[in-house]
Every structure is written in C-alpha cells, then in structure tokens.
Amino acid sequence: MEIVEDVVIVGAGIAGLTTCLGLHRLGIRSLVLESAEDLRITGFALMVWTNAWKALDAIGVGHSLRQQHHTLLGNVTSSTESGLQTAEMSFNKAIGKTLGMHEVRCVNRKLLMEALSNELPNGTIRFSSKLVAIQESGFFKLLHLADGTIIRTKVLIGSDGVNSVVAKWLGFNQATHTGRYAIRGCATNFDTNNHGFESLFSQFFGHGVRFGLIPCDHRFVYWFFTFATSLDKEKELEENPTKTREFVLSKLGMIPDQVRGVFESTELEAFKLISPLRYRKPWELLWKSISKGNVCVAGDALHPMTPDLGQGGCSALEDGVVLARCLGEVLLRNSSKKSEKLEEEYKNIEMGLKKYASERKWRSFDLVATAYVIGFIQQSHNKVLSFLRDKFLASFLATWVFKKADFDCGKLTNN
C-alpha cells in the first residue's frame, strides 16, 4: 500500500510534535510517524528555560502549561563532600548587565507531550509506524515502514531521536557515549498535599556524581542522578533495580535529610531504567549536512547532548519553531507555472530547509559543546578540579547556563 503526503515527520517526540504543531498553526498539514504504540513520555520531567517558553508561546501552548507548573525562583548548588552551598543564583533578578529576568519551570513531560498532541487534528500521529528505509524517487522520498507500508512525501523531517534513521541517511555517525549514565525519577507520595520544598532548582556535586531535585508543582518533585561507571557495572545495576537504588543512596553524601527522603521514597520502578548519556561530536554539526534536498533532522536526531546544560528539550522546541517557520515560508508560496510546479516546489523546499540548517548549525554546536564541557567539570572526581569547581567555578558555570537560555527562536506568521 502506498500513501502520498506533503510533509512527513518521523518521531512524535518534542521536536517532531512542535514542528507539526507549528506547521498546523500556519495551515500546513503534516503526518507524524511514531514507532511506539503511544506517546513517549519517559524521563518524568524537564527543565524549561526562557528560550523554550518563547517557543511554546509561538505555537500557542505556553499559557496552559504555565498554569500547571510552579515558577522556579533560583538555583542552589551544593557540595556533597563538604555539605556546604557553593553557589546561589536568582532567576528573578538581573544577573550582570547582559542577563535579565528568566522564566524557568520544571515541566511534567507527560503534560508537555499531551499539550502538544492535543492541539493537533485527529489522525495526525500514526502510531506503530517504524521507518526502516528511505528511497529516492525524483522530487519525492519513498519511506518504507516495518509493516510494509510505503509513503511518498515531498518533505521528510527526521526527529526520530538519538538512533535516528534519517540522520544516518544524511551521513551522521552514531552519537558518542560519554561513559556516563543517568537515572531519573519523581516522588509524589508525601504525607501531606504539599512536599514542602521551595521552588528552587537544587543540584549537588561530589564523589564523581551529579544529581538534582526540582519541584514541578506542590505535589510533584522530579529528580535526576548522573554518574560514570564501566559498562559491566551498568549492566549489573540495570539487571537489579534494588542494587541500583542502594548504589544511588550510597552516593548522595552530605545532603539535607529532606532531599535524601525524596530518593528513599521513590518507587523501585524508577531505578529500572539507566540511560547512557550520549552526544553528537560538535564538529560533526559543522561538516555534515543538517539538510539535504527535501530532508532534514531536528531534536536529538540533530544534536544529542548531555543533560548538564538543561537544554536538550528546550533546543528541540527551538528547532520545531524555526523549522516550521522556514518550511512554512516556502510551502505557502504559489507556483508561477503549473508545468514547473514539482521542480519549483522542490527547490523552494530545499531553500527553506537550508535556511533552517543555517540558523540551527551554530546554535546546536554551541549547546552540545557547552553541555559537554560543563558536565566534565561538574562531575569530575579529580581533587584539584573539584576544589576549583566548588571554590571558584560554581557561580561562573551557573551564569554560563543562564546565557545559553537567552535565545529567541522567533514567531510564526503566515503573512
């Protein structure tokens, strides 16, 4: 069976759904292919910084998400080795002369995905649709799915994650493993209807691990824990969530009892998933093709990065808005001659995707490289580097994170 579509987006993640919704706001229909049977909501929550709120506002879902999540007041960094606070920053006060007010919330991933998908027309997302091959066919691409379906499309957008089929087709290498892993969870089973935490992003470093705790609302507290270990040790932990939980608790060091209680009260299920932290080598973003003809990539398919900057999901939202804007500009143009329509459309699409790639290349390079460097410094077990981090670099690193969130992806308009 062959299906014909104008725009096909592979992957119903943050970048894919944002792109789809952005195009929908411009009056352009697209089809989203998702290999899973339902929306992917792994990860529990994510930090949404100022740049991402601008993107959410551009596609019209920012207001509803704000109503469901608390505004974070600031960031507090502490050492698990000394138990002392090493840095503190407010999100609501001017930081230096270049950074202004910042809007930061920790957003429940399920609510984010639902907010994006609920705005789309019925039938926009085709679940259980795994892309296995891409074939050239004149001005079209033929997409071969695992169930035997063939889809003919004028535009192909790969937002299919870190193991992207589309990125591989474009010539990108597999993302590189950092040797670090992440465990994520949440706590909601508090004795009262309020967890009692201030609206702060609290993060901790020491003994080669980095972890943090962030309230989303008055009931939901999200946490993450990153660490470096051998592949054999990771497999051992993944096969035994009880041992994983014991490992995490043993590495918490000198922290407040209230914070330790969150990890202790988290259900064992959360400790079953250990995610390897991978990233795209930054220079690959400069000499590989983000777009080629009528094909491009976005989100983790383009710029997988370590979570140390808190910009993975935020940059995917940026991608979606920029891509919808650049593609929308060319798809809404009228062809001058019907006989030249297909070739003209193809050239316009190619031009629009090149514009998107140009806008996202250096931004992606910057975020991936910065996240990697910050992660290396923050999670170092080297005594000298740990001393410098805790005594001198903590405030600098926190300011660096702020600067990367000072970005505007622009607005959508069909004028």
Side-chain angles (χ1 to χ4, degrees):
M1 177 177 69
E2 183 173 293
I3 301 171
V4 179
E5 295 285 346
D6 285 340
V7 181
V8 172
I9 300 168
V10 184
I14 294 175
L17 292 185
T18 302
T19 305
C20 182
L21 182 53
L23 291 172
H24 174 63
R25 297 298 191 213
L26 296 173
I28 300 169
R29 183 187 181 280
S30 59
L31 175 69
V32 180
L33 304 178
E34 172 53 49
S35 60
E37 296 178 356
D38 206 343
L39 286 177
R40 291 174 283 142
I41 56 172
T42 56
F44 297 101
L46 69 155
M47 289 283 282
V48 176
W49 294 79
T50 309
N51 55 316
W53 286 110
K54 291 177 181 177
L56 290 168
D57 286 337
I59 55 175
V61 298
H63 178 73
S64 63
L65 286 168
R66 284 185 179 93
Q67 308 312 306
Q68 301 174 79
H69 300 90
H70 289 173
T71 301
L72 295 176
L73 302 177
N75 169 58
V76 176
T77 303
S78 303
S79 168
T80 64
E81 298 179 24
S82 67
L84 300 177
Q85 182 177 302
T86 58
E88 180 179 10
M89 284 200 154
S90 170
F91 295 155
N92 297 317
K93 296 179 181 178
I95 299 175
K97 295 182 179 179
T98 58
L99 297 176
M101 304 284 282
H102 276 266
E103 179 182 9
V104 190
R105 290 176 173 84
C106 185
V107 172
N108 183 312
R109 184 177 288 268
K110 181 175 184 291
L111 295 180
L112 171 61
M113 301 304 290
E114 289 174 347
L116 296 172
S117 62
N118 288 345
E119 292 291 313
L120 298 173
N122 290 335
T124 298
I125 306 175
R126 190 180 193 268
F127 292 105
S128 301
S129 300
K130 182 177 177 57
L131 175 66
V132 294
I134 302 167
Q135 181 182 351
E136 299 267 11
S137 180
F139 298 118
F140 296 85
K141 292 295 180 290
L142 297 182
L143 311 181
H144 296 263
L145 307 188
D147 63 4
T149 301
I150 299 174
I151 300 178
R152 180 185 295 268
T153 183
K154 295 178 182 178
V155 183
L156 171 60
I157 298 168
S159 57
D160 44 340
V162 70
N163 296 313
S164 170
V165 174
V166 182
K168 183 179 180 180
W169 186 86
L170 285 172
F172 281 101
N173 297 319
Q174 280 284 340
T176 301
H177 183 29
T178 62
R180 297 168 58 205
Y181 299 85
I183 304 170
R184 303 173 177 91
C186 67
T188 56
N189 54 338
F190 298 97
D191 293 335
T192 66
N193 287 328
N194 194 314
H195 48 62
F197 285 96
E198 289 186 82
S199 293
L200 296 171
F201 171 24
S202 302
Q203 58 179 337
F204 304 85
F205 306 103
H207 303 291
V209 303
R210 170 182 180 259
F211 57 94
L213 181 148
I214 321 159
C216 291
D217 55 31
H218 68 282
R219 287 279 300 158
F220 188 105
V221 177
Y222 165 68
W223 61 261
F224 64 87
F225 180 93
T226 65
F227 62 101
T229 191
S230 66
L231 184 60
D232 289 340
K233 178 66 174 179
E234 183 271 333
K235 288 182 177 179
E236 178 187 343
L237 292 174
E238 195 164 41
E239 292 171 358
N240 191 334
T242 299
K243 186 172 289 188
T244 303
R245 183 176 182 273
E246 292 172 354
F247 170 77
V248 170
L249 294 177
S250 72
K251 293 290 186 177
L252 297 181
M254 299 176 65
I255 61 172
D257 290 341
Q258 186 186 23
V259 174
R260 185 179 295 275
V262 169
F263 289 89
E264 292 176 340
S265 64
T266 299
E267 295 182 1
L268 191 62
E269 187 74 19
F271 296 94
K272 289 183 178 180
L273 181 61
I274 301 176
S275 304
L277 298 182
R278 292 183 280 178
Y279 75 109
R280 176 86 63 213
K281 291 180 179 177
W283 53 86
E284 203 178 345
L285 293 164
L286 303 182
W287 56 268
K288 295 285 187 180
S289 297
I290 295 174
S291 72
K292 180 181 178 183
N294 56 355
V295 180
C296 73
V297 283
D300 280 347
L302 169 60
H303 47 60
M305 65 184 75
T306 61
D308 308 283
L309 195 57
Q311 282 291 334
C314 296
S315 57
L317 288 163
E318 290 179 12
D319 289 345
V321 173
V322 174
L323 180 50
R325 171 166 49 79
C326 293
L327 188 56
E329 287 173 359
V330 298
L331 290 180
L332 293 172
R333 291 178 186 170
N334 293 321
S335 299
S336 56
K337 295 181 180 180
K338 192 172 182 179
S339 60
E340 298 177 357
K341 186 177 180 182
L342 279 179
E343 183 176 2
E344 184 180 341
E345 276 189 333
Y346 182 87
K347 288 180 178 178
N348 285 339
I349 289 166
E350 183 178 33
M351 181 173 59
L353 296 186
K354 280 184 177 179
K355 182 181 178 182
Y356 157 75
S358 176
E359 288 193 30
R360 299 308 293 167
K361 176 182 290 188
W362 284 103
R363 172 67 171 167
S364 299
F365 176 93
D366 185 20
L367 293 178
V368 171
T370 302
Y372 183 85
V373 172
I374 287 179
F376 176 79
I377 295 173
Q378 288 180 333
Q379 201 163 318
S380 174
H381 201 23
N382 178 277
K383 290 184 178 180
V384 174
L385 193 54
S386 295
F387 173 80
L388 292 173
R389 177 194 67 212
D390 293 345
K391 295 294 183 182
F392 304 107
L393 296 177
S395 295
F396 170 74
L397 293 174
T399 303
W400 208 4
V401 171
F402 272 80
K403 287 184 176 180
K404 300 309 173 185
D406 192 21
F407 181 87
D408 192 341
C409 61
K411 301 184 184 300
L412 295 173
T413 175
N414 55 7
N415 294 331

